[in-house]
Amino acid sequence: MRKFLAVVKHEYRKVVLRWSFLIGTLLFPLLGLGFAVVPALIFSIKGEPTRIVIVDREGKLGPRIRSNLSPEKIAQKQAEALKKSSFEPTVDPKQSADSLKNLTEGFVFMPFDLNGKSDEQIRTELNSMAAEKKIDAYLIVPDDLGGKFEFLSRKAGDFVASGMLEDAVNDAVRSERLTEANISENTLKQINKKADIETKAIDEHGREKNSDALLAASFVIGLMIYISLTIYGQVILGAVVEEKETRIAEILFSSARPFELMLGKLVGVGLAGLTQLGIWVTSLALLVGFLMLQTDIAPLLAGAPHITPLMVGYFLLFFLLGYFLFASIFALIGSMVTTVQEGGQFAFPPIMVMLIGFYFSFAVIRDPSSPLSFWVSIAPFWAPITMPVRILAETPPFWQIALSISINTIAICGMVWLCARVYRVGMLMYGKRATLPEVWKWIREA
Amino acid sequence: MGEDDVTLRVDSISKSFGDFSAVDDLSFNVRAGRIFGFLGPNGAGKTTTIRMIVGITIPDSGEIELFGKRINGTAQDHIGYLPEERGLYKKTKVVDQLRYFAALKNVPQKEADRRIDRWMDRMELSEWKNKKTTDLSKGMQQKIQFIATVLHDPDLLILDEPFSGLDPVNVEFMIDVLAEFRQSHKTVIFSTHLMETAERLCHDILLVNKGKKVLAGSLREVKESYGRNRVAIRVDGAHDLLNNFSGVESIEEKADEKILSMRSDADPQELLRSLVSSGATVTKFAYVEPTLNDIFIEQIGGAK
């Protein structure tokens, strides 16, 4: 037992004390941070307002454009856009508009005297003002609606400002045309209004829940398990091949039983994987917590799926089940081959099996209670990926979870037993790769 | 413990892989406080035998006893094994590897750290303690491997080709260390195909070929059994006499002397008398012990 623990400790430290582990562990939360927090922070940094002159001889469109560019209007527009793009229908446009108002940089309208100046003079004067940095941009409104608008800006690259201006001009022109055609803005809005469809799932307790957010979360869970299994499978493969390649196995086998060594390796690397997932899950929880505190974004998260600690527990448990299943396959491969490269070729089939499991998780997300979902979520090798997805999408009855755990535990015992037999012979076979009939013989004779 | 205490008793062990019989009914004893040379050509079954002694594989039949007890897991903690093909973890710090190997032999960490420091100091490797294997030269790696073999203070040390790749200074150093082991009444089994080294170090030898014992015993006994039938002479003239003397089987010409192999029933003294009376000037006349190399070639070459 002491030797077993020594192996566990050694393998755990070997993985955790590597730079790649540190980087990999930090990268995920940092990416999450990058996607979720950084844009919010960047938006909260207000840009300098754009100082703009609107040249409008007719005086018809100018006031409309001005009002369209007011901070209230811009914020309202952005909130509407957000509502359209987001899967989150519970956002109240008014509420968001209030919060977004503070986030958006605005326009400042600069006075400019047109009286008695030719177009040419106006241009030259405005251009020199821009050059002196007295103004940032100007807009020349044509005399009739069909004419060409000219927008000249010192900061032509500021696509946010240009975009807003374009929208404001378009809206102004449209309103003007509507007025000319005697149609009120409100009538048009009524005509244009889209039917509002909100998709929600009903869970087994008859409660409504939001399906889009669930879909995303289930997908993330499936992906996380799939990626972790692939990574830690390869870690095991590399560690086994290293001991074989360097002939350390010979020293190890003269010190401890092969079974202790193999199991210690699986457990040690598995704990390292659990550490990484633990850090990820924790940082995800912290991230969500942080976002909740940001009042600006909190409404977006109101419909986030409710993940209970029990679900997190299941998630880690199924990761471990999948890990032991696949890690023992990778250990078996590692003891068969002579180099890491050779091992890479043999690693393809188990990775395919994982990938198929990952694809099955889409079917599970679509219909978590279908017979297909039931079978793939209890089947060995696939359940570790599909069952957590299913639990999140629509928690199945407990007996199914228990059945899945038992079946996969039995499969693990079988795989570890098989692997141990190949491992003790294979690790000492140098020189050439073992063929499958040879491996079969080792299993039978060991 | 006396000189005749048996550390290791190997009793008619056999091991075959499929149709190939790697070790066939092999028996021998290794005595405490002696260096035991385990000799044989490549493929003779040396490594297979050693693997069975250290508990890596189990014999098909026969028994192995260490200190009077059948070999088992706890016995492994008393054996230090330096395999012929050996390596270290490439990207792990030297001290971490040594700690791991010590832990696998049930050495408590504190004690292990003390011993690691002592050995690293002795091998003049202290400043490499926190380096990775890839930073070390081949010779340094070999020394680290040796330290890993002795960290748990084993009673039986099994070294498979321990000097391959070591420079002469380090070979001498290792030989000193082996001598110390012997003095503290520990046992060393030492497998090599370098007969000169074996001849210099070993008290007892076992020569195997094709899985079977060819000869065994103390170096003294083995050499004596190969007898007093070789004579080195340096003589002017008397060419014909040497060629025609009936007891001489063959003459090997060396740079400035001849080695005569004589029939076992011939009397070298008779030859000396004949030479002297023939008037030839004899400047050297000496019995030559067979070297291990000679014995090896005779035994293995003859068996082929």
Side-chain angles (χ1 to χ4, degrees):
Chain A
M1 195 60 192
R2 258 167 71 184
K3 291 184 181 183
F4 171 74
L5 291 177
V7 181
V8 171
K9 187 178 150 202
H10 171 77
E11 297 295 337
Y12 181 81
R13 282 169 50 99
K14 239 178 105 200
V15 176
V16 171
L17 296 182
R18 285 245 170 103
W19 279 110
S20 53
F21 181 84
L22 191 69
I23 292 167
T25 308
L26 292 182
L27 204 63
F28 184 80
L30 281 181
L31 277 180
L33 208 69
F35 282 124
V37 177
V38 173
L41 289 179
I42 288 175
F43 278 132
S44 69
I45 301 167
K46 279 194 217 171
E48 289 287 303
T50 306
R51 291 164 300 168
I52 187 169
V53 171
I54 295 179
V55 181
D56 180 18
R57 285 186 197 280
E58 292 291 303
K60 252 196 267 171
L61 282 172
R64 283 192 197 273
I65 295 174
R66 251 174 254 236
S67 95
N68 282 349
L69 284 177
S70 70
E72 290 77 18
K73 266 279 172 65
I74 291 174
Q76 193 188 329
K77 220 168 157 66
Q78 283 184 341
E80 275 166 19
L82 196 67
K83 187 191 161 184
K84 259 185 223 158
S85 66
S86 157
F87 50 72
E88 180 43 63
T90 57
V91 180
D92 176 9
K94 277 253 171 56
Q95 195 190 339
S96 304
D98 285 340
S99 59
L100 283 168
K101 191 161 76 184
N102 306 318
L103 302 182
T104 325
E105 56 209 87
F107 290 86
V108 173
F109 304 103
M110 304 297 286
F112 184 71
D113 193 11
L114 293 177
N115 283 341
K117 290 175 188 161
S118 72
D119 284 2
E120 206 52 42
Q121 270 176 318
I122 291 169
R123 266 172 211 277
T124 335
E125 223 168 289
L126 285 171
N127 279 346
S128 63
M129 276 170 82
E132 288 159 27
K133 297 188 180 167
K134 280 182 191 154
I135 60 167
D136 298 311
Y138 62 90
L139 176 78
I140 298 178
V141 180
D143 292 345
D144 67 290
L145 286 179
K148 209 185 208 172
F149 288 82
E150 282 179 85
F151 177 56
L152 288 100
S153 172
R154 241 168 20 89
K155 308 187 285 184
D158 185 352
F159 58 89
V160 178
S162 333
M164 284 186 216
L165 188 102
E166 210 178 302
D167 284 347
V169 170
N170 274 329
D171 286 350
V173 171
R174 203 186 46 172
S175 316
E176 187 59 30
R177 283 181 183 148
L178 287 172
T179 315
E180 280 175 13
N182 251 334
I183 300 170
S184 86
E185 185 90 10
N186 276 339
T187 319
L188 186 82
K189 260 194 192 152
Q190 288 302 316
I191 293 168
N192 269 348
K193 201 172 177 202
K194 275 194 195 164
D196 200 355
I197 300 177
E198 192 177 301
T199 315
K200 280 186 178 176
I202 301 168
D203 68 11
E204 71 269 33
H205 303 298
R207 284 193 305 252
E208 292 180 359
K209 52 183 185 176
N210 190 292
S211 75
D212 292 322
L214 260 182
L215 193 127
S218 315
F219 174 78
V220 168
I221 291 289
L223 188 68
M224 251 163 98
I225 293 191
Y226 165 68
I227 290 178
S228 311
L229 290 182
T230 323
I231 292 173
Y232 284 96
Q234 305 278 358
V235 170
I236 283 284
L237 180 67
V240 171
V241 174
E242 184 188 11
E243 284 178 355
K244 187 177 175 181
E245 221 179 354
T246 56
R247 315 285 198 260
I248 293 172
E250 187 118 5
I251 298 175
L252 298 180
F253 282 22
S254 75
S255 307
R257 288 185 304 140
F259 188 72
E260 275 177 317
L261 291 163
M262 191 201 73
L263 206 62
K265 187 181 289 293
L266 294 185
V267 170
V269 176
L271 286 178
L274 210 56
T275 306
Q276 188 161 51
L277 275 185
I279 292 172
W280 286 353
V281 167
T282 312
S283 53
L284 207 66
L286 289 177
L287 194 70
V288 170
F290 171 79
L291 293 182
M292 290 292 203
L293 291 178
Q294 297 289 99
T295 45
D296 297 335
I297 307 165
L300 293 179
L301 291 167
H306 191 58
I307 298 177
T308 61
L310 180 67
M311 283 180 179
V312 175
Y314 278 140
F315 168 64
L316 295 177
L317 175 65
F318 276 94
F319 162 74
L320 279 183
L321 289 174
Y323 164 78
F324 277 106
L325 265 178
F326 285 100
S328 51
I329 298 180
F330 282 110
L332 189 150
I333 291 170
S335 56
M336 270 173 67
V337 299
T338 54
T339 61
V340 180
Q341 289 81 354
E342 235 173 53
Q345 294 157 22
F346 275 79
F348 185 66
I351 288 182
M352 272 310 289
V353 173
M354 282 187 223
L355 193 64
I356 292 170
F358 177 59
Y359 285 143
F360 271 136
S361 65
F362 291 103
V364 171
I365 292 171
R366 272 192 66 190
D367 190 355
S369 44
S370 71
L372 175 71
S373 298
F374 168 75
W375 287 112
V376 294
S377 66
I378 60 163
F381 300 105
W382 289 330
I385 298 173
T386 51
M387 188 49 115
V389 171
R390 194 169 161 216
I391 287 174
L392 194 60
E394 186 189 306
T395 310
F398 176 73
W399 69 268
Q400 291 187 11
I401 300 177
L403 180 67
S404 176
I405 293 171
S406 329
I407 286 179
N408 280 279
T409 308
I410 292 167
I412 288 171
C413 294
M415 281 312 301
V416 168
W417 177 84
L418 209 65
C419 174
R421 308 200 126 201
V422 176
Y423 183 81
R424 47 183 281 194
V425 184
M427 288 303 275
L428 298 171
M429 291 283 165
Y430 309 138
K432 76 176 194 60
R433 197 188 76 215
T435 62
L436 285 176
E438 273 173 333
V439 172
W440 178 238
K441 216 181 91 198
W442 299 345
I443 294 171
R444 270 193 354 233
E445 287 179 359
Chain B
M1 283 200 275
E3 192 71 336
D4 286 332
D5 291 327
V6 171
T7 304
L8 180 78
R9 188 190 309 279
V10 173
D11 189 12
S12 62
I13 54 166
S14 298
K15 178 90 183 172
S16 42
F17 302 103
D19 295 336
F20 173 68
S21 172
V23 175
D24 186 9
D25 197 25
L26 186 65
S27 302
F28 60 91
N29 292 336
V30 180
R31 288 183 282 173
R34 294 173 75 94
I35 299 181
F36 180 89
F38 190 22
L39 316 175
N42 294 328
K46 282 178 295 180
T47 301
T48 308
T49 305
I50 289 176
R51 280 183 177 178
M52 287 189 274
I53 296 171
V54 299
I56 293 178
T57 51
I58 304 162
D60 296 340
S61 63
E63 269 189 32
I64 301 171
E65 284 180 2
L66 185 71
F67 305 117
K69 274 183 256 163
R70 278 192 78 160
I71 214 112
N72 56 23
T74 39
Q76 283 191 330
D77 293 349
H78 299 284
I79 304 177
Y81 171 41
L82 183 69
E84 178 179 4
E85 304 237 42
R86 49 200 173 229
L88 295 167
Y89 292 102
K90 288 173 211 151
K91 287 180 184 164
T92 309
K93 277 191 219 160
V94 168
V95 59
D96 286 340
Q97 318 207 19
L98 289 175
R99 274 184 191 149
Y100 180 45
F101 291 132
L104 286 181
K105 293 285 191 185
N106 272 331
V107 183
Q109 167 128 23
K110 268 192 184 157
E111 178 63 26
D113 281 348
R114 236 190 341 265
R115 291 184 194 172
I116 290 169
D117 284 341
R118 208 177 59 220
W119 278 105
M120 293 289 277
D121 191 44
R122 215 176 142 191
M123 298 270 184
E124 295 169 351
L125 287 172
S126 295
E127 69 262 48
W128 299 90
K129 205 173 139 184
N130 287 308
K131 290 274 182 354
K132 288 176 181 169
T133 307
T134 39
D135 299 329
L136 268 57
S137 75
K138 191 105 192 291
M140 290 180 195
Q141 291 184 26
Q142 300 233 343
K143 289 195 205 167
I144 300 292
Q145 283 150 353
F146 181 76
I147 295 175
T149 314
V150 296
L151 264 183
H152 55 294
D153 200 20
D155 300 302
L156 172 63
L157 198 58
I158 301 179
L159 310 172
D160 202 348
E161 298 287 356
F163 302 134
S164 64
L166 278 186
D167 63 55
V169 176
N170 284 323
V171 169
E172 289 309 312
F173 183 73
M174 292 271 277
I175 288 173
D176 287 349
V177 176
L178 291 190
E180 273 170 39
F181 261 86
R182 198 179 70 80
Q183 274 156 23
S184 51
H185 213 72
K186 294 176 187 302
T187 311
V188 179
I189 295 179
F190 168 47
S191 153
T192 184
H193 64 269
L194 296 175
M195 294 304 137
E196 289 78 11
T197 323
E199 186 149 12
R200 206 181 130 191
L201 290 177
C202 301
H203 305 98
D204 300 306
I205 62 160
L206 167 69
L207 182 62
V208 291
N209 190 29
K210 296 180 178 164
K212 287 196 167 85
K213 177 167 23 177
V214 175
L215 65 97
S218 72
L219 191 64
R220 197 65 284 128
E221 291 160 12
V222 168
K223 284 194 166 185
E224 272 165 12
S225 74
Y226 272 74
R228 311 192 150 265
N229 59 348
R230 279 156 57 94
V231 177
I233 65 166
R234 201 179 293 137
V235 60
D236 290 332
H239 228 55
D240 293 343
L241 181 78
L242 283 177
N243 281 329
N244 296 329
F245 193 83
S246 60
V248 176
E249 259 179 349
S250 66
I251 301 174
E252 189 189 338
E253 297 281 348
K254 294 258 167 134
D256 66 340
E257 62 181 40
K258 297 178 171 67
I259 309 286
L260 306 184
S261 297
M262 311 213 32
R263 282 211 315 265
S264 47
D265 59 341
D267 182 5
Q269 294 299 328
E270 184 77 19
L271 175 66
L272 181 60
R273 275 195 293 275
S274 308
L275 283 169
V276 172
S277 58
S278 77
T281 319
V282 179
T283 50
K284 179 178 180 183
F285 189 95
Y287 288 110
V288 181
E289 277 193 326
T291 61
L292 263 184
N293 209 40
D294 297 330
I295 297 172
F296 183 91
I297 290 169
E298 190 179 323
Q299 285 296 330
I300 306 303
K304 264 179 189 164

